[in-house]
Amino acid sequence: MELHALTPVDEISRRISKIQSMIADRAIDAILITDNTNIYYTLGRVISGWVYIPAKGNPIYFVRRPEGLKGDNVRYIHKPELIPAELASLGYTLPGTLGLELAVTPYLTIERLKAVFPECAIADASKIMREARAVKTDFELVQLRQSGVKHSRVYSRIPHIFHPGMTDIELQIEIERISRLEGCLGQFRISGDSMELFMANVLAGNNADNPTPYDFAMGGAGLDPSLPVGADGSIIKPGMSVMVDANGNFTGYMTDMTRVFSYGDLTEEAIRAHRCSIDICRQLEKMGRPGAKASDMYEKAIEIVKAAGLERHFMGYTQKAGFIGHGVGIEINELPVIAPRSRDILQEHNVIALEPKFVVPGVGAVGIENTYIVTSGGLECITGSPEDIISLE
């Protein structure tokens, strides 16, 4: 079985070299990766096991499952307690300082790994991995552009699958169906504490104002308290907006896109708010160059919203989100974060989603979300669907 699956070996080597440079700068001798997202980034496939990356030398892939992976740097073991002996047999000195993903690895796993390496000082490698993944390689940008094309193709079909009397969840199921037929993997990886979502967030009418416990731009009551977000079974009626924020994972790299559909005429206030969202995106596309402060981009959006007199509706009505954008890639909510207290500075080939949205009571949610690549000329949009409100009639 091919070790790196669909990811070229030289691409994996570039990623490993970047991580090694970052851990060396922080005086960390090696990191041990357990998180599926970071395993995928450093290997090109998900395994049950551990990825060991020394500051110098080749990475070692310690695998429990699947069987059949081959390579000089693959070692099959059934428990982490075997790692030190395997490293010694390969001529590796045990690290003085070992990086672990403290932010995403369960406490008991961390404690177990500390016991495996009792003489090692432990450092947090979580931010290193987030920073490494935040700047995309050319290969990753190709994957993201491909997802953007397929994502846009799905949205173009939405008006054709709607019929009067449909509920929001019925529409969502049809959107999910055409997404899967287009090649969507169905998986929605989200970075953050207890962040959960199914394949799409479809919000019709006032359900958009139902607060959710999750840190998403928009909420929705959901169908059950076990997953309190998104469609709640509302019948789509004339005068409602229908906001669609559907899964864009077609390549292992996700684009994030929101478009608004209407059944019948929306109010002038809702139309004006939607236009304000588009205007914000146009302004931030110009600002979004390498070196731009994420907090300055947020403040520019607030300036535009206040000038339009729409701040009461911005990023929620009953409950507001504290950001207007975030990084995307293997996960949603990667770095950088476009928020008022963000210290992030945009770098070339960051990939971000901007989602300045509004909730208008009695109508629903309006506004767009696009995925962009940060370039020297500004933000390059890779989710090219029409941005105006689209009629379902």
Side-chain angles (χ1 to χ4, degrees):
M1 189 184 300
E2 189 175 350
L3 179 60
H4 297 300
L6 301 177
T7 308
V9 174
D10 59 347
E11 170 68 13
I12 295 295
S13 296
R14 278 190 289 271
R15 299 180 191 181
I16 297 297
S17 294
K18 175 164 61 171
I19 294 167
Q20 288 178 320
S21 176
M22 295 173 75
I23 64 177
D25 287 345
R26 292 163 172 81
I28 296 174
D29 300 307
I31 61 174
L32 187 66
I33 293 171
T34 64
D35 177 65
N36 277 356
T37 300
N38 291 329
I39 288 174
Y40 177 63
Y41 180 74
T42 55
L43 179 55
R45 66 160 66 243
V46 173
I47 61 168
S48 172
W50 307 265
V51 177
Y52 182 85
I53 303 177
K56 294 181 180 180
N58 293 322
I60 306 298
Y61 302 109
F62 294 105
V63 184
R64 289 191 300 189
R65 293 181 299 274
E67 295 289 344
L69 295 179
K70 301 183 184 302
D72 293 338
N73 52 349
V74 174
R75 288 292 183 274
Y76 273 88
I77 60 173
H78 66 278
K79 59 183 181 179
E81 285 75 11
L82 300 175
I83 291 176
E86 290 287 343
L87 290 174
S89 72
L90 292 167
Y92 285 79
T93 302
L94 291 184
T97 300
L98 177 67
L100 300 176
E101 304 149 298
L102 301 182
V104 296
T105 306
Y107 173 79
L108 291 179
T109 301
I110 292 293
E111 290 300 302
R112 184 177 183 181
L113 292 174
K114 285 181 179 179
V116 171
F117 296 93
E119 304 301 320
C120 297
I122 301 299
D124 185 14
S126 305
K127 190 174 182 182
I128 290 173
M129 293 306 302
R130 281 176 63 80
E131 289 176 351
R133 286 169 31 213
V135 177
K136 272 58 178 182
T137 64
D138 290 343
F139 176 85
E140 291 177 294
L141 294 179
V142 169
Q143 307 310 305
L144 284 153
R145 286 192 173 96
Q146 289 177 354
S147 280
V149 169
K150 293 184 177 183
H151 206 176
S152 298
R153 195 176 297 154
V154 169
Y155 276 66
S156 72
R157 297 176 60 185
I158 291 174
H160 307 292
I161 60 177
F162 173 79
H163 61 77
M166 211 174 202
T167 65
D168 54 2
I169 190 62
E170 289 171 336
L171 178 60
Q172 177 174 326
I173 290 167
E174 293 304 311
I175 293 170
E176 291 168 357
R177 178 179 181 275
I178 60 175
S179 293
R180 294 306 303 272
L181 291 174
E182 190 63 50
C184 182
L185 302 178
Q187 185 179 32
F188 212 132
R189 281 196 170 106
I190 308 172
S191 174
D193 296 337
S194 299
M195 298 281 277
E196 300 174 311
L197 188 64
F198 198 56
M199 273 188 63
N201 194 357
V202 175
L203 298 171
N206 283 329
N207 183 41
D209 197 36
N210 273 307
T212 176
Y214 308 119
D215 191 16
F216 295 131
M218 293 287 108
L223 294 172
D224 186 88
S226 66
L227 187 61
V229 64
D232 67 348
S234 296
I235 297 174
I236 299 170
K237 298 178 180 179
M240 282 185 176
S241 69
V242 180
M243 175 172 279
V244 177
D245 186 354
N247 190 329
N249 185 1
F250 295 85
T251 63
Y253 284 80
M254 290 183 279
T255 46
D256 208 357
M257 176 167 54
T258 299
R259 293 296 184 264
V260 172
F261 301 83
S262 67
Y263 184 34
D265 295 331
L266 303 187
T267 65
E268 179 58 36
E269 185 177 37
I271 294 169
R272 189 164 62 87
H274 190 81
R275 171 47 57 183
C276 184
S277 173
I278 296 172
D279 290 344
I280 290 169
C281 287
R282 293 296 90 83
Q283 290 296 314
L284 297 190
E285 286 165 7
K286 299 173 185 176
M287 288 182 66
R289 301 168 185 264
K293 294 181 179 180
S295 58
D296 286 349
M297 295 176 69
Y298 181 89
E299 292 304 326
K300 182 63 176 180
I302 293 296
E303 177 186 317
I304 296 169
V305 169
K306 287 182 176 179
L310 292 165
E311 57 266 37
R312 180 68 183 86
H313 304 276
F314 190 51
M315 299 308 292
Y317 193 81
T318 298
Q319 177 175 291
K320 293 182 176 292
F323 64 94
I324 61 162
H326 53 83
V328 294
I330 301 172
E331 291 180 306
I332 299 297
N333 292 351
E334 294 190 353
L335 296 177
V337 179
I338 314 302
R341 292 181 295 278
S342 175
R343 297 182 179 180
D344 295 336
I345 306 295
L346 266 59
Q347 301 178 67
E348 189 166 20
H349 293 173
N350 282 154
V351 178
I352 63 173
L354 294 178
E355 49 180 329
K357 297 173 180 176
F358 299 82
V359 172
V360 179
V363 176
V366 294
I368 64 171
E369 179 178 23
N370 281 321
T371 297
Y372 299 94
I373 298 170
V374 177
T375 76
S376 59
L379 299 180
E380 174 197 343
C381 180
I382 58 174
T383 45
S385 291
E387 295 177 334
D388 290 333
I389 296 173
I390 302 164
S391 175
L392 292 172
E393 293 183 286

